[in-house]
């Protein structure tokens, strides 16, 4: 009764993505001896099994690397005078390797249908390092054919327009940005009316980074609760977070608001100067102005007299208000920008009353960098990408980003931080040193050894 049923067959398997071909053109994920794989094998016998009745089907165990699948089938058929005959037989399938279309495109690295070009016109890449960690955390880099790094951004290549659109939507939700798209016709079949396009998505991130000093337009400052025009950017997430160092007033600006009322950073990070705190007084009560917005609870307002470390031999001192009163003490070193002795080339700052421009804006407390690096018992993962020639400035910027992670808990929540087993764990209760990330916030990095994967001679 098994006459006419083939006892041998072939199954096509893609080694790269570990999927099986379900004719005519669908690739499906199946584990060995699963119901899905059994159904796929039985579909190949469907036509020849139409004359008999299938009672039972199951796999016979074979070595996983033998490239053989054996199916044990039980069939019944009615023969002479209503007698029913039952028979058990084995069908053997040979697993043949064949690369699927998706993997073919990934291997041929230039074959792409859409590209997302992410750009930010700044000298500092802090926002890009933060964005890289978000992409890794949400695993949005998995569908990319290739990631290419250029001097002011990244290019993500995709095999379909939908995947690129998904990336653009993610970027617009996570960083303040604007995007535009275009497409180029590659080919056109006039008989079937099929068009083949290559799409390009251009995403521009706002040119403001953490620790930037900005000058807002009078209209925007008034709409944010009568803030000062000179503000400090304390972080960039899905919005730009600003603080007024004179009143502790805080505001958030999203991408749409920024592009309607654009403003620029007054300084770039290389212009940061080191000051020493001569005297500092914390201001506990400050009257709110008319229409003032929310104030920060994490910062403390203080009035300070500071002196540049490069001018210690002179008597020149500067008076300023700062939002860092909770961490600064007399004698501390602090990084800031000197507005009293600089040429401000900004359309809004040039129109301001000179008396309302502060002499100095303090940004962050200064710690010994080499000591911080030595005690850093954690690490981050990076995207695999085609890099240009490495720049010496990139390493300094990356260290700045790591220090920002240690100092700002709000940014840390969105980043996967892994424990570095090579550096011994020290006590977390060092109050005098720079801020550190506690062990509770770190993830264990997964390392799979050869034995754990069932190599030769491995114990179960």
């Amino acid at each position: 009764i098994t006459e006419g049923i083939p006892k041998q067959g072939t199954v096509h398997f893609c080694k790269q993505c570990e999927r099986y071909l379900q004719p005519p053109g669908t690739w499906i994920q199946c584990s060995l001896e699963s119901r899905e794989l059994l159904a796929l094998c039985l579909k190949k016998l469907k036509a020849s099994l139409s004359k008999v009745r299938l009672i039972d089907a199951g796999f016979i165990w074979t070595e996983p690397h033998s490239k053989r699948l054996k199916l044990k089938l039980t069939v019944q058929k009615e023969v002479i005078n209503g007698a029913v005959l039952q028979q058990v037989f084995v069908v053997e399938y040979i697993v043949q390797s064949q690369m699927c279309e998706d993997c073919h495109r990934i291997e041929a690295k230039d074959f792409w249908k859409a590209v997302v070009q992410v750009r930010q016109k700044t000298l500092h890449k802090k926002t890009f390092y933060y964005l890289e960690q978000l992409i890794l955390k949400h695993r949005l880099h998995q569908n990319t054919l290739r990631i290419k790094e250029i001097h002011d951004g990244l290019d993500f290549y995709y095999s379909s327009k939908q995947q690129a659109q998904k990336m653009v939507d993610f970027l617009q939700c996570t960083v303040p940005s604007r995007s535009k798209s275009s497409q180029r016709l590659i080919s056109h079949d006039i008989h079937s009316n099929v068009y083949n396009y290559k799409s390009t998505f251009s995403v521009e991130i706002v040119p403001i980074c953490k620790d930037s000093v900005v000058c807002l337009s009078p209209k925007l400052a008034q709409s944010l609760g009568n803030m000062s025009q000179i503000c400090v950017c304390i972080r960039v997430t899905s919005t730009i977070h600003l603080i007024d160092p004179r009143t502790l007033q805080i505001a958030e600006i999203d991408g749409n608001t920024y592009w309607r009322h654009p403003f620029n950073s007054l300084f770039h990070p290389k212009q940061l100067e080191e000051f020493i705190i001569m005297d500092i007084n914390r201001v506990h009560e400050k009257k709110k102005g008319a229409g003032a917005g929310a104030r920060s609870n994490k910062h403390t307002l203080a009035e300070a007299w500071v002196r540049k470390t490069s001018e210690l031999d002179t008597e020149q001192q500067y008076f300023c208000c700062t939002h860092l009163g909770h961490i600064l003490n007399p004698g501390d070193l602090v990084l800031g920008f000197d507005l009293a002795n600089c040429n401000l080339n900004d359309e809004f700052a040039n129109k301001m009353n000179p008396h309302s421009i502060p002499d100095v804006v303090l940004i962050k407390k200064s710690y010994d960098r080499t000591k911080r690096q030595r005690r850093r018992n954690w690490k981050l993962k990076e995207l695999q990408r085609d890099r240009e020639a490495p720049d010496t400035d990139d390493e300094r910027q990356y260290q700045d980003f790591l220090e920002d992670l240690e100092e700002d808990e709000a940014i840390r929540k969105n980043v996967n931080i892994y424990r570095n087993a090579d550096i011994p764990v020290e006590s977390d209760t060092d109050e005098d040193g720079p801020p550190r990330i506690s062990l509770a916030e770190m993830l264990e990095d997964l390392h799979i050894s050869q034995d754990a994967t069932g190599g030769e001679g491995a114990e179960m």
Side-chain angles (χ1 to χ4, degrees), residues 195-366:
Y195 291 82
N196 182 17
Y197 288 105
K198 276 193 173 181
S199 304
T200 302
F201 295 89
S202 177
V203 180
E204 186 184 352
I205 301 173
V206 295
I208 305 295
C209 282
K210 184 182 186 299
D211 299 338
S212 297
V213 176
V214 298
C215 184
L216 309 177
S217 65
K219 189 177 178 183
L220 179 60
Q222 187 180 8
S223 69
L224 295 173
N226 289 330
M227 289 180 82
S228 301
Q229 284 182 250
I230 304 280
C231 294
V232 179
C233 175
I234 47 175
R235 78 177 68 91
V236 178
T237 53
S238 55
T239 53
I240 304 168
H241 296 252
L242 299 178
I243 189 166
D244 181 352
R246 290 182 171 186
T247 60
L248 293 191
Q249 196 173 321
I250 51 174
E252 292 183 22
I253 298 175
D254 60 6
N256 292 334
T257 309
Y258 176 83
W259 298 117
R260 278 201 306 273
H261 307 281
F263 50 87
N264 294 315
S265 182
L266 296 180
F267 302 92
H268 54 80
K270 287 183 180 176
Q271 291 173 293
L272 272 171
E273 295 187 68
E274 196 173 54
F275 295 86
I276 187 165
I277 303 286
M278 306 306 291
D279 190 23
I280 188 164
N281 296 312
R282 283 155 187 80
V283 180
H284 296 292
E285 282 298 322
K286 179 123 181 171
K287 272 186 77 177
K288 270 194 175 186
R295 286 187 182 179
S296 171
N297 298 323
K298 294 185 178 178
H299 299 87
T300 304
L301 190 63
E303 295 174 342
W305 285 95
V306 296
R307 187 183 288 183
K308 282 188 191 178
T309 50
S310 58
E311 297 177 350
L312 287 176
D313 52 342
T314 65
E315 291 297 315
Q316 179 67 47
Q317 289 192 16
Y318 303 93
F319 175 77
C320 63
C321 289
T322 178
H323 59 291
L324 302 173
H326 56 300
I327 54 171
L328 294 181
N329 294 302
D332 283 348
L333 294 175
V334 62
L335 296 173
F337 293 112
D338 179 8
L339 278 79
N341 304 311
C342 72
N343 292 324
L344 285 179
N345 186 17
D346 184 86
E347 58 171 322
F348 303 129
N350 292 341
K351 294 174 185 173
M352 283 178 69
N353 182 347
H355 297 294
S356 57
I357 298 178
D359 290 345
V360 170
V361 176
L362 302 181
I363 301 296
K364 59 180 180 178
K365 190 173 176 180
S366 178

Side-chain angles (χ1 to χ4, degrees), residues 2-9 44-45 48 89-93:
T2 60
E3 193 179 1
I5 301 174
K7 306 298 186 293
Q8 279 193 330
K44 290 183 173 289
L45 303 173
S48 53
F89 65 103
V90 175
V91 181
E92 185 179 282
Y93 289 93

Side-chain angles (χ1 to χ4, degrees), residues 45-108:
L45 303 173
K46 192 174 182 181
S48 53
L49 287 173
S50 58
K51 294 177 183 176
V52 294
R53 189 171 162 214
L54 184 65
I55 300 297
D56 188 31
F59 284 103
I60 298 174
W61 188 83
T62 53
E63 290 281 350
H65 52 77
S66 67
K67 302 290 181 191
R68 297 287 185 277
L69 297 173
K70 288 186 179 179
L71 246 64
K72 183 181 179 183
L73 303 179
T74 307
V75 293
Q76 284 183 355
K77 187 179 181 182
E78 191 175 323
V79 287
I80 309 156
N81 299 331
V84 176
L85 197 63
Q86 180 169 311
Q87 197 170 339
V88 179
F89 65 103
V90 175
V91 181
E92 185 179 282
Y93 289 93
I94 297 167
V95 180
Q96 288 189 347
S97 295
Q98 179 181 328
M99 193 181 282
C100 67
E101 281 186 27
D102 294 340
C103 295
H104 222 286
R105 288 172 181 173
I106 293 168
E107 286 300 310

Side-chain angles (χ1 to χ4, degrees), residues 364-379:
K364 59 180 180 178
K365 190 173 176 180
S366 178
Y367 299 99
D368 183 2
R369 172 165 277 186
T370 52
K371 188 179 178 184
R372 288 184 86 160
Q373 285 178 261
R374 200 167 56 244
R375 295 171 62 182
R376 193 170 287 142
N377 58 344
W378 53 275
K379 59 186 177 182

Side-chain angles (χ1 to χ4, degrees), residues 11 20 82 175 180 193 324 451:
V11 174
Y20 291 89
V175 285
K180 54 186 177 184
N193 215 25
L324 302 173
D451 290 349

